[in-house]
Amino acid sequence: MMRLWFAPQTCARVTLTALEEVGQAFDTRLIAFMAGEHREAAFLAVNPSGKVPALETDDGVITQNGAILTYLAETYPDAGLLPLSDDAAGRAQITGDMYRCSSDLHPLVTRFVMAPMISTDPGDAPRIREKAAQGLAMQLAPLEQRLNRQDWMAGQDWSILDAYLAWIWFRITGAGYDQANFPALQRHYAMASERESAKAALVYEEKAQAELKARGLFFQPPPGEKQ
Protein backbone atom coordinates (compact mmCIF):
# COMPACT_ATOMS: atom_id res chain seq x y z
CA MET A 1 0.00 0.00 0.00
CA MET A 2 1.25 3.46 -0.85
CA ARG A 3 1.58 6.02 1.94
CA LEU A 4 1.35 9.77 1.45
CA TRP A 5 2.89 12.20 3.91
CA PHE A 6 0.95 15.44 3.61
CA ALA A 7 -0.42 18.57 5.25
CA PRO A 8 -3.71 20.31 4.43
CA GLN A 9 -3.80 23.19 1.95
CA THR A 10 -0.31 22.39 0.68
CA CYS A 11 0.44 21.18 -2.83
CA ALA A 12 0.02 17.66 -1.44
CA ARG A 13 -3.64 18.24 -2.38
CA VAL A 14 -2.57 17.61 -5.97
CA THR A 15 -1.01 14.27 -5.04
CA LEU A 16 -4.13 13.31 -3.08
CA THR A 17 -6.19 14.07 -6.18
CA ALA A 18 -3.87 11.96 -8.32
CA LEU A 19 -4.07 9.02 -5.92
CA GLU A 20 -7.86 9.20 -5.98
CA GLU A 21 -7.76 9.11 -9.78
CA VAL A 22 -5.42 6.09 -9.70
CA GLY A 23 -7.82 4.19 -7.45
CA GLN A 24 -5.18 2.09 -5.67
CA ALA A 25 -5.21 1.70 -1.91
CA PHE A 26 -3.16 4.23 0.03
CA ASP A 27 -2.98 5.67 3.50
CA THR A 28 -1.87 9.04 4.79
CA ARG A 29 0.37 10.47 7.47
CA LEU A 30 -0.22 14.03 8.62
CA ILE A 31 2.70 16.38 9.21
CA ALA A 32 2.03 19.21 11.69
CA PHE A 33 4.39 21.99 10.66
CA MET A 34 3.58 24.13 13.69
CA ALA A 35 4.75 21.28 15.92
CA GLY A 36 7.98 20.99 13.94
CA GLU A 37 7.18 17.48 12.78
CA HIS A 38 8.75 18.22 9.39
CA ARG A 39 12.11 18.52 11.17
CA GLU A 40 11.79 15.38 13.29
CA ALA A 41 13.96 12.35 12.59
CA ALA A 42 10.99 10.12 11.71
CA PHE A 43 9.98 12.30 8.79
CA LEU A 44 13.49 13.29 7.72
CA ALA A 45 14.18 9.58 7.31
CA VAL A 46 11.38 9.61 4.70
CA ASN A 47 12.21 12.94 3.06
CA PRO A 48 15.48 14.60 4.11
CA SER A 49 14.30 17.93 2.70
CA GLY A 50 11.53 18.02 5.32
CA LYS A 51 8.82 18.88 2.83
CA VAL A 52 5.49 17.43 1.75
CA PRO A 53 4.33 15.62 -0.24
CA ALA A 54 6.37 12.46 0.04
CA LEU A 55 5.00 9.19 -1.31
CA GLU A 56 6.14 5.80 -0.07
CA THR A 57 5.76 3.15 -2.79
CA ASP A 58 6.96 -0.37 -3.53
CA ASP A 59 9.62 1.32 -5.65
CA GLY A 60 10.86 3.50 -2.80
CA VAL A 61 10.06 6.99 -1.58
CA ILE A 62 9.21 9.55 -4.26
CA THR A 63 9.53 13.25 -3.36
CA GLN A 64 8.83 16.50 -5.21
CA ASN A 65 5.29 16.88 -6.50
CA GLY A 66 6.26 16.89 -10.17
CA ALA A 67 8.21 13.66 -9.76
CA ILE A 68 5.39 12.02 -7.80
CA LEU A 69 2.78 12.97 -10.36
CA THR A 70 4.93 11.77 -13.25
CA TYR A 71 5.63 8.50 -11.44
CA LEU A 72 1.93 7.88 -10.84
CA ALA A 73 1.07 8.79 -14.45
CA GLU A 74 3.62 6.34 -15.82
CA THR A 75 2.96 3.56 -13.29
CA TYR A 76 -0.81 3.74 -13.73
CA PRO A 77 -1.32 4.83 -17.35
CA ASP A 78 -4.98 3.81 -17.39
CA ALA A 79 -5.72 6.56 -14.84
CA GLY A 80 -5.08 9.18 -17.51
CA LEU A 81 -3.21 11.53 -15.19
CA LEU A 82 -1.06 12.91 -18.00
CA PRO A 83 -0.98 12.56 -21.78
CA LEU A 84 1.62 9.87 -22.46
CA SER A 85 3.49 10.12 -25.72
CA ASP A 86 6.25 8.21 -27.49
CA ASP A 87 7.33 11.51 -28.97
CA ALA A 88 10.15 13.24 -27.08
CA ALA A 89 8.89 16.71 -27.95
CA GLY A 90 5.39 15.84 -26.74
CA ARG A 91 6.72 14.52 -23.45
CA ALA A 92 8.87 17.62 -23.06
CA GLN A 93 5.82 19.84 -23.52
CA ILE A 94 3.98 18.11 -20.70
CA THR A 95 7.09 18.17 -18.50
CA GLY A 96 7.44 21.87 -19.24
CA ASP A 97 3.88 22.48 -18.07
CA MET A 98 4.60 20.54 -14.89
CA TYR A 99 7.67 22.70 -14.27
CA ARG A 100 5.62 25.80 -15.02
CA CYS A 101 3.42 24.87 -12.07
CA SER A 102 6.16 23.65 -9.72
CA SER A 103 9.04 26.00 -10.58
CA ASP A 104 7.54 29.16 -12.08
CA LEU A 105 4.23 29.54 -10.24
CA HIS A 106 4.65 27.64 -6.98
CA PRO A 107 7.50 29.81 -5.58
CA LEU A 108 5.46 32.92 -6.37
CA VAL A 109 2.49 31.42 -4.53
CA THR A 110 4.65 31.01 -1.43
CA ARG A 111 5.86 34.61 -1.59
CA PHE A 112 2.37 35.97 -2.14
CA VAL A 113 0.62 33.90 0.52
CA MET A 114 3.40 33.72 3.10
CA ALA A 115 5.16 37.05 2.53
CA PRO A 116 5.76 37.76 6.27
CA MET A 117 7.71 34.49 6.54
CA ILE A 118 10.08 35.24 3.65
CA SER A 119 12.05 37.94 5.48
CA THR A 120 13.00 38.48 9.11
CA ASP A 121 12.02 42.14 8.67
CA PRO A 122 8.19 42.45 8.85
CA GLY A 123 8.43 45.68 6.88
CA ASP A 124 9.57 43.71 3.83
CA ALA A 125 6.29 41.76 3.52
CA PRO A 126 4.30 44.31 1.45
CA ARG A 127 7.13 44.64 -1.06
CA ILE A 128 7.59 40.87 -1.32
CA ARG A 129 3.87 40.37 -1.80
CA GLU A 130 3.64 43.07 -4.46
CA LYS A 131 6.57 41.66 -6.43
CA ALA A 132 5.02 38.19 -6.20
CA ALA A 133 1.70 39.57 -7.48
CA GLN A 134 3.48 41.09 -10.47
CA GLY A 135 5.21 37.79 -11.20
CA LEU A 136 1.94 35.88 -10.90
CA ALA A 137 0.24 38.22 -13.35
CA MET A 138 2.97 37.60 -15.91
CA GLN A 139 2.97 33.83 -15.43
CA LEU A 140 -0.82 33.47 -15.41
CA ALA A 141 -1.48 35.60 -18.50
CA PRO A 142 -0.50 32.92 -21.06
CA LEU A 143 -2.47 30.30 -19.15
CA GLU A 144 -5.51 32.58 -19.22
CA GLN A 145 -5.11 32.80 -22.99
CA ARG A 146 -4.72 29.03 -23.30
CA LEU A 147 -7.82 28.34 -21.22
CA ASN A 148 -9.78 30.77 -23.35
CA ARG A 149 -9.13 28.39 -26.25
CA GLN A 150 -9.58 25.06 -24.48
CA ASP A 151 -11.14 23.66 -21.32
CA TRP A 152 -8.08 21.99 -19.85
CA MET A 153 -4.34 22.59 -19.63
CA ALA A 154 -3.43 19.77 -22.01
CA GLY A 155 -6.36 20.21 -24.40
CA GLN A 156 -9.79 18.60 -24.40
CA ASP A 157 -9.14 16.18 -21.55
CA TRP A 158 -8.50 16.79 -17.85
CA SER A 159 -5.04 15.96 -16.53
CA ILE A 160 -3.31 16.27 -13.18
CA LEU A 161 -1.86 19.56 -14.46
CA ASP A 162 -5.36 20.96 -14.00
CA ALA A 163 -5.39 19.89 -10.36
CA TYR A 164 -2.03 21.59 -9.84
CA LEU A 165 -3.22 24.83 -11.44
CA ALA A 166 -6.45 24.68 -9.43
CA TRP A 167 -4.46 24.39 -6.19
CA ILE A 168 -2.35 27.40 -7.20
CA TRP A 169 -5.51 29.40 -7.92
CA PHE A 170 -7.04 28.32 -4.60
CA ARG A 171 -3.98 29.46 -2.66
CA ILE A 172 -3.56 32.88 -4.22
CA THR A 173 -7.23 33.85 -4.41
CA GLY A 174 -7.70 32.69 -0.83
CA ALA A 175 -4.97 35.17 0.09
CA GLY A 176 -6.65 38.04 -1.74
CA TYR A 177 -5.28 37.84 -5.28
CA ASP A 178 -7.46 39.87 -7.64
CA GLN A 179 -9.34 37.51 -9.99
CA ALA A 180 -10.86 40.19 -12.21
CA ASN A 181 -8.51 39.79 -15.17
CA PHE A 182 -8.70 36.01 -15.26
CA PRO A 183 -12.24 34.81 -16.12
CA ALA A 184 -10.94 31.70 -17.88
CA LEU A 185 -8.94 30.70 -14.80
CA GLN A 186 -12.00 31.27 -12.64
CA ARG A 187 -14.00 28.98 -14.92
CA HIS A 188 -11.22 26.41 -14.97
CA TYR A 189 -11.02 26.34 -11.17
CA ALA A 190 -14.78 25.83 -10.88
CA MET A 191 -14.66 22.92 -13.35
CA ALA A 192 -11.62 21.30 -11.74
CA SER A 193 -13.19 21.57 -8.28
CA GLU A 194 -16.22 19.56 -9.40
CA ARG A 195 -14.17 16.48 -10.22
CA GLU A 196 -14.86 13.64 -7.78
CA SER A 197 -11.16 13.12 -7.08
CA ALA A 198 -10.82 16.80 -6.13
CA LYS A 199 -13.74 16.51 -3.73
CA ALA A 200 -12.27 13.35 -2.21
CA ALA A 201 -8.93 15.10 -1.65
CA LEU A 202 -10.72 17.82 0.31
CA VAL A 203 -12.22 15.19 2.61
CA TYR A 204 -8.70 14.13 3.62
CA GLU A 205 -7.80 17.75 4.20
CA GLU A 206 -10.88 18.46 6.30
CA LYS A 207 -10.10 15.54 8.59
CA ALA A 208 -6.48 16.69 8.87
CA GLN A 209 -7.52 20.26 9.64
CA ALA A 210 -9.89 19.05 12.33
CA GLU A 211 -7.05 17.07 13.92
CA LEU A 212 -4.69 20.05 13.79
CA LYS A 213 -7.31 22.36 15.25
CA ALA A 214 -7.92 19.92 18.10
CA ARG A 215 -4.19 19.99 18.82
CA GLY A 216 -4.04 23.78 18.53
CA LEU A 217 -1.71 23.46 15.57
CA PHE A 218 -3.73 24.63 12.57
CA PHE A 219 -2.23 27.66 10.84
CA GLN A 220 -4.37 29.69 8.46
CA PRO A 221 -2.51 32.52 6.69
CA PRO A 222 -4.52 35.74 7.03
CA PRO A 223 -6.05 36.97 3.78
CA GLY A 224 -4.05 39.86 2.38
CA GLU A 225 -5.23 43.04 0.82
CA LYS A 226 -6.50 42.93 -2.72
CA GLN A 227 -3.81 43.59 -5.27
Side-chain angles (χ1 to χ4, degrees):
M1 181 182 295
M2 292 182 284
R3 171 175 294 164
L4 178 68
W5 297 76
F6 84 114
Q9 299 194 11
T10 69
C11 68
R13 174 182 298 183
V14 190
T15 309
L16 280 167
T17 304
L19 288 167
E20 285 293 326
E21 291 282 341
V22 164
Q24 297 292 318
F26 70 96
D27 69 3
T28 59
R29 290 293 184 273
L30 172 63
I31 292 295
F33 284 96
M34 289 187 68
E37 292 177 357
H38 59 305
R39 294 289 183 260
E40 293 180 357
F43 182 56
L44 292 177
V46 176
N47 185 5
S49 71
K51 296 182 179 181
V52 296
L55 183 66
E56 295 185 61
T57 76
D58 290 341
D59 298 312
V61 177
I62 314 294
T63 62
Q64 298 292 336
N65 220 8
I68 294 171
L69 300 175
T70 301
Y71 167 83
L72 290 173
E74 293 180 358
T75 304
Y76 304 99
D78 291 344
L81 293 178
L82 290 171
L84 299 177
S85 173
D86 294 329
D87 175 62
R91 293 196 303 275
Q93 181 64 51
I94 296 300
T95 301
D97 278 337
M98 186 72 75
Y99 288 165
R100 181 190 292 268
C101 290
S102 65
S103 300
D104 292 340
L105 282 162
H106 196 152
L108 292 169
V109 172
T110 302
R111 284 158 178 77
F112 185 80
V113 177
M114 310 290 286
M117 300 181 67
I118 302 300
S119 171
T120 56
D121 183 352
D124 288 339
R127 177 182 58 82
I128 293 170
R129 184 176 165 87
E130 176 57 29
K131 292 296 288 185
Q134 293 172 11
L136 285 166
M138 184 187 77
Q139 294 293 336
L140 291 173
L143 297 180
E144 174 71 14
Q145 294 173 8
R146 185 192 302 191
L147 293 170
N148 265 321
R149 300 189 303 267
Q150 59 196 46
D151 285 341
W152 303 111
M153 282 278 283
Q156 294 183 341
D157 297 323
W158 177 93
S159 73
I160 201 61
L161 295 169
D162 297 295
Y164 210 151
L165 182 59
W167 173 80
I168 288 166
W169 191 247
F170 154 78
R171 287 296 274 169
I172 61 175
T173 56
Y177 190 78
D178 190 352
Q179 307 179 40
N181 293 325
F182 300 99
L185 279 164
Q186 294 180 48
R187 182 174 64 252
H188 174 269
Y189 176 73
M191 291 171 55
S193 298
E194 284 302 308
R195 198 165 180 89
E196 289 304 315
S197 57
K199 294 178 181 178
L202 289 181
V203 172
Y204 282 96
E205 289 200 13
E206 289 167 0
K207 291 179 180 178
Q209 288 175 187
E211 178 180 335
L212 291 175
K213 288 176 180 177
R215 296 168 61 188
L217 296 173
F218 180 65
F219 173 70
Q220 178 70 54
E225 295 179 359
K226 296 286 185 179
Q227 297 295 307

